Amino acid sequence: MVLRSKQAPVVVFDDADLDSAVNGTAFAAFVASGQTCVSGARIIVQDGIYDPFMERFSRKVESIRRRMGDPLNPHSTMGTVISQKHLNRIEGMIEETRGRVLFGGQQMLGKSSLDGFDFSEGSFFPPTIITDVEVEDLLWQEEIFGPVVVVKRFSEESEGVNLANACKYGLGAGIWTSDLARAHRVASEIQAGLCWVNTHHRNDPSSPWGGMKESGIGRENGLEAFEAYSQSKSTIVNVASAEDTRQSDDWFAESSEARRYG
């Protein structure tokens, strides 16, 4: 079993409930400081909802940043990334982008306004929004594994699906819409092993977990996992008597009868 962690696309349609989509996208992107294998790092928003979504999403991100502090403080919203080395990697990838950093983008230093915690004691990086990226951009194609999202807008459903699939990985994806038919249609077209509709990061132990394209081989959870971790074996036994076998299984017997295999 091999699973490669990837950034998941989150496609937000015009008819999505705005507040739920904003809250759900923030959860998809920033839980565990974005260090999950299905982090919602590519946010794809339809034209009709783009401006109000970005306004509320930006306010949500600012609120998360303002309430960061001591990781042991239960009121702190988001913790550190795994190491200083990884923090440097995040900053390096952002420096290479041709997109526009709308919020965040640099290591956090100084004291927390929440509880006075000194951010230099950890590898803290703020929730970050980057817009105006191209699909060829490193941040679109490779997972940053941190609290960073890139945002693009789309017009037609097919364009949103194409943007979601414009990556060599396909572990998870999110869809936000109030149209159930659209949800099933788009989920079937997105090249990902898991598709969430109006939620993210949820899974049942009976539901198989695994990716498509370069996001893994095999499945975890469910009967599919049992099959992936086991091998089938065939044992074929002829139960006919010896007399019957002599009559029926002498394939090259001298006979005028024509015989064909099968």
Side-chain angles (χ1 to χ4, degrees):
M1 179 79 65
V2 178
L3 292 177
R4 298 188 65 180
S5 54
K6 293 299 114 242
Q7 77 279 41
V10 176
V11 186
V12 183
F13 287 96
D14 286 347
D15 61 354
D17 179 77
L18 184 56
D19 287 336
S20 297
V22 167
N23 296 338
T25 300
F27 175 63
F30 304 127
V31 67
S33 301
Q35 298 168 115
T36 74
C37 59
V38 286
S39 176
R42 291 187 290 134
I43 314 304
I44 304 163
V45 187
Q46 198 165 17
D47 283 334
I49 202 174
Y50 183 87
D51 289 336
F53 176 90
M54 289 301 294
E55 179 184 355
R56 298 192 193 191
F57 187 61
S58 297
R59 289 205 306 266
K60 175 67 72 174
V61 167
E62 191 280 328
S63 172
I64 294 170
R65 165 62 181 84
R66 176 167 33 85
R67 293 177 293 124
M68 290 177 66
D70 186 341
L72 297 179
N73 184 345
H75 298 289
S76 179
T77 52
M78 199 174 75
T80 178
V81 298
I82 189 64
S83 67
Q84 183 66 41
K85 179 180 179 180
H86 185 56
L87 188 148
N88 294 339
R89 175 181 177 272
I90 292 173
E91 287 190 321
M93 291 179 70
I94 292 176
E95 288 173 0
E96 293 184 29
T97 186
R98 290 167 290 177
R100 181 168 67 97
V101 178
L102 194 65
F103 191 93
Q106 292 182 329
Q107 177 181 0
M108 295 173 64
L109 299 171
K111 300 295 182 66
S112 165
S113 59
L114 173 71
D115 54 20
F117 181 80
D118 186 353
F119 287 123
S120 67
E121 294 184 13
S123 303
F124 287 87
F125 202 84
T128 296
I129 305 174
I130 300 175
T131 60
D132 302 328
V133 295
E134 301 297 329
V135 295
E136 297 82 12
D137 196 291
L138 183 66
L139 289 180
W140 187 274
Q141 291 296 327
E142 295 293 339
E143 184 175 42
I144 199 166
F145 213 67
V148 179
V149 299
V150 291
V151 185
K152 285 186 74 68
R153 65 196 301 162
F154 72 97
S155 297
E156 302 299 323
E157 179 182 302
S158 58
E159 182 186 1
V161 171
N162 288 337
L163 285 171
N165 289 335
C167 183
K168 59 186 176 181
Y169 305 112
L171 182 52
I175 302 165
W176 289 85
T177 178
S178 61
D179 185 335
L180 184 60
R182 166 183 277 165
H184 281 287
R185 183 171 62 248
V186 172
S188 69
E189 294 172 351
I190 289 181
Q191 296 162 355
L194 305 100
C195 282
W196 290 283
V197 177
N198 299 334
T199 189
H200 208 94
H201 289 301
R202 314 295 189 185
N203 201 52
D204 186 272
S206 65
S207 178
W209 178 283
M212 296 182 179
K213 298 188 282 189
E214 295 188 28
S215 283
I217 299 171
R219 290 294 183 267
E220 294 180 353
N221 300 341
L223 293 176
E224 291 82 357
F226 176 78
E227 294 171 354
Y229 282 107
S230 60
Q231 290 182 322
S232 60
K233 181 177 182 178
S234 297
T235 302
I236 295 90
V237 178
N238 175 16
V239 296
S241 67
E243 291 78 6
D244 289 342
T245 298
R246 286 193 295 270
Q247 294 295 321
S248 63
D249 282 8
D250 185 2
W251 186 259
F252 296 104
E254 296 183 8
S255 170
S256 60
E257 181 183 354
R259 304 190 67 176
R260 293 292 184 269
Y261 184 71

